[in-house]
Amino acid sequence: MTSTPPAPPRAPRPPRPPGNRPFGNRPPGNRLGLPASASRHRPLIGAHLIDSLGTGLVLAFTLVFFTRTTDLPLTTVGAAVSAARLLALPAAPAVGPLIDRYGARQVAAWANALSALAHGAFLLADRSWLIVLVCLLAQAGQAGYWTASTGLVVLAAPDGGRTRWFALVQTLRNAGLGLGGAAGALLVGDGGAGGLRLLVALNAASYLAAALLLARWRPEAAVAPTAAPAEPTAEPAAPAEPAAAAEPTKPAADEPGGYRTVLADRRYLLLVLVNLSFVLASMVLSVLLAVHVTAALHLGAPLAGALLVLNGVQVVLTQSPVSRLLEGHRATRTAAAGAVLNAAAFALFAVLPGDGPRRLVLPGLVVAMLVYNLAETVATPGREELSVALAHPARRGRYLAVNQLSWNLGQALCPGLLTLLFAHGPSWPWLFLLAASLAAVPGLLRLERPRPAVPDIRSETGPSARR
């Protein structure tokens, strides 16, 4: 009797390549557009969130704090705060060489510590010169932190994927500012001067907590093993810009040039000039929106507050998913698309009639705000990526300081400029912002020449770019 030999064991099915994984089986963070390395950099995420939360606590209440806790008139307090901001303009250029020498992490930690000291000193400032001093220190701390913050993203994502990190930072900033602003309004409304003092004390504590988180963050210890790619793709990716995970070991002071080299880089100066249009656009929320809603459209101030809440909620919920959808496009194209969307939003704001029926004005106002918010989510990651990728690695701190200077100048000059235009007619500031946004588009497209110097998001994520 013969027996049938046993069938050979079936070979195991080869695993499905990561890039061909069905959409439903991909990690939830990937579907949401979150960076794959986010879980390994919790101290950095916590520092960004806490810093923004503290900033939101007092962002709208600085003038209110000094007028309620001192005997000084509002005009004196306003002049002191403006003087402090103008005096703080050199802070960003001063921080650039420190970043190149000591690294972005240490500078950001010390900047937060300075902000904690400054806001703690708010409680002791009862003279105009003291207000100038403490606001100067606070503004210098803020300028130092945000100049170094882009370098923190480079440390967290040394081998690519920075656009997702920039999107996450923007989301954390909006969430923190929104939560902080809501908590600040609650404390001010219930506590009077005591609530304001508690507000400032909590803000100082938040900056100190953020400084401690950055001090204990070790980005080089959190780099993922190279055996498994963090962002799987279906086809090989182009080489990403080389960068080191650890802090720079060679001081940039030994490098030739310095700021003279940065100022001679015409491509980067063009980027800084283009960035100024986005700075002007960002000032709509703090300078122009409430004035336009109340004085030009004759609507209630609570509506302006609701539009600010809409901005925060929309950016928090959509920033990372929108950035994921745009990963196949060049950074120059996404930033240019954001500028065009800004121009469309400003055109809508400009044509809203002040004496029109509410049933038409209210929907138009909401649509304009939705387009404005979309412009922010589309433009921010690509614009931040350009500021890093076009900078020389050995002098990145100085490059980022020059870029930050556009923010400091815009924030100092924009309130007077936009209100002056508004005094000549409610449509003029919107038309000016529209023209500035459209002027940024050819500048961004010009950055694509020469081609090898253009940061391409597809080099970080794999899929070929769509044109």
Side-chain angles (χ1 to χ4, degrees):
M1 181 177 180
T2 60
S3 60
T4 304
R10 179 178 297 177
R13 178 178 296 177
R16 184 192 300 269
N20 297 330
R21 231 187 292 179
F23 181 82
N25 294 336
R26 292 178 184 174
N30 185 61
R31 295 199 300 270
L32 295 175
L34 298 177
S37 59
S39 61
R40 297 191 297 273
H41 297 283
R42 292 188 182 93
L44 175 61
I45 293 175
H48 275 306
L49 182 59
I50 292 173
D51 178 275
S52 298
L53 182 65
T55 302
L57 284 172
V58 298
L59 183 65
F61 304 109
T62 300
L63 296 179
V64 177
F65 172 82
F66 288 117
T67 53
R68 289 194 186 180
T69 59
T70 69
D71 297 328
L72 299 172
L74 177 62
T75 53
T76 302
V77 173
V81 173
S82 295
R85 291 184 176 179
L86 289 173
L87 290 172
L89 287 178
V95 164
L98 297 178
I99 296 174
D100 290 334
R101 178 174 291 276
Y102 300 108
R105 181 183 64 85
Q106 294 188 52
V107 171
W110 281 109
N112 269 332
L114 178 61
S115 295
L117 175 65
H119 284 88
F122 272 32
L123 300 171
L124 306 175
D126 57 355
R127 297 289 185 272
S128 58
W129 69 270
L130 283 174
I131 294 176
V132 172
L133 177 61
V134 297
C135 289
L136 171 61
L137 294 177
Q139 192 71 14
Q142 280 286 88
Y145 178 78
W146 286 108
T147 302
S149 65
T150 304
L152 299 178
V153 171
V154 176
L155 295 175
D159 298 321
R162 288 192 300 255
T163 52
R164 291 195 176 197
W165 268 103
F166 287 129
L168 177 59
V169 169
Q170 182 73 358
T171 301
L172 294 171
R173 178 160 176 76
N174 278 271
L177 289 174
L179 292 174
L186 182 63
L187 289 172
V188 172
D190 291 345
L196 283 166
R197 290 189 176 93
L198 176 60
L199 201 69
V200 168
L202 290 174
N203 190 34
S206 72
Y207 281 120
L208 183 59
L212 293 175
L213 283 172
L214 288 173
R216 65 180 293 267
W217 177 49
R218 294 294 181 269
E220 64 274 9
V223 176
T226 57
E231 296 286 345
T233 56
E235 55 182 284
E241 178 192 358
E247 302 278 0
T249 56
K250 181 180 180 180
D254 297 338
E255 297 287 339
Y259 274 118
R260 284 181 300 176
T261 304
V262 179
L263 296 177
D265 188 339
R266 294 183 179 180
R267 286 172 55 78
Y268 203 83
L269 292 183
L270 175 60
L271 174 64
V272 173
L273 182 63
V274 165
N275 189 59
L276 189 58
S277 71
F278 292 101
V279 176
L280 294 173
S282 72
M283 297 301 291
V284 165
L285 297 177
S286 60
V287 175
L288 191 57
L289 182 63
V291 174
H292 188 74
V293 168
T294 56
L297 300 181
H298 310 293
L299 300 172
L303 177 60
L307 293 174
L308 291 175
V309 172
L310 175 62
N311 171 265
V313 171
Q314 183 176 346
V315 173
V316 168
L317 294 180
T318 64
Q319 179 67 81
S320 291
V322 167
S323 300
R324 180 182 180 276
L325 291 174
L326 297 176
E327 281 178 337
H329 296 271
R330 293 183 182 277
T332 47
R333 306 288 175 87
T334 59
V340 172
L341 287 170
N342 266 333
F346 299 146
L348 289 173
F349 279 117
V351 299
L352 289 175
D355 54 353
R358 291 172 64 92
R359 67 178 183 275
L360 296 179
V361 174
L362 284 176
L365 196 58
V366 172
V367 170
M369 198 67 198
L370 290 173
V371 176
Y372 173 84
N373 299 341
L374 179 61
E376 181 179 351
T377 60
V378 169
T380 299
R383 180 172 49 78
E384 294 286 356
E385 169 65 16
L386 286 167
S387 71
V388 174
L390 294 181
H392 191 287
R395 288 180 289 272
R396 183 175 284 134
R398 289 173 171 85
Y399 274 88
L400 296 180
V402 172
N403 189 58
Q404 179 65 28
L405 194 59
S406 67
W407 285 94
N408 296 343
L409 281 171
Q411 290 168 351
L413 300 177
C414 202
L417 175 61
L418 292 183
T419 53
L420 178 64
L421 290 171
F422 188 84
H424 288 80
S427 296
W428 281 110
W430 301 112
L431 295 175
F432 168 74
L433 293 171
L434 185 157
S437 297
L438 290 180
V441 175
L444 285 164
L445 297 181
R446 184 176 178 82
L447 290 175
E448 296 186 354
R449 303 191 302 266
R451 187 181 179 92
V454 179
D456 192 348
I457 302 178
R458 62 181 175 175
S459 68
E460 299 175 8
T461 57
S464 57
R466 296 183 291 271
R467 292 183 174 82

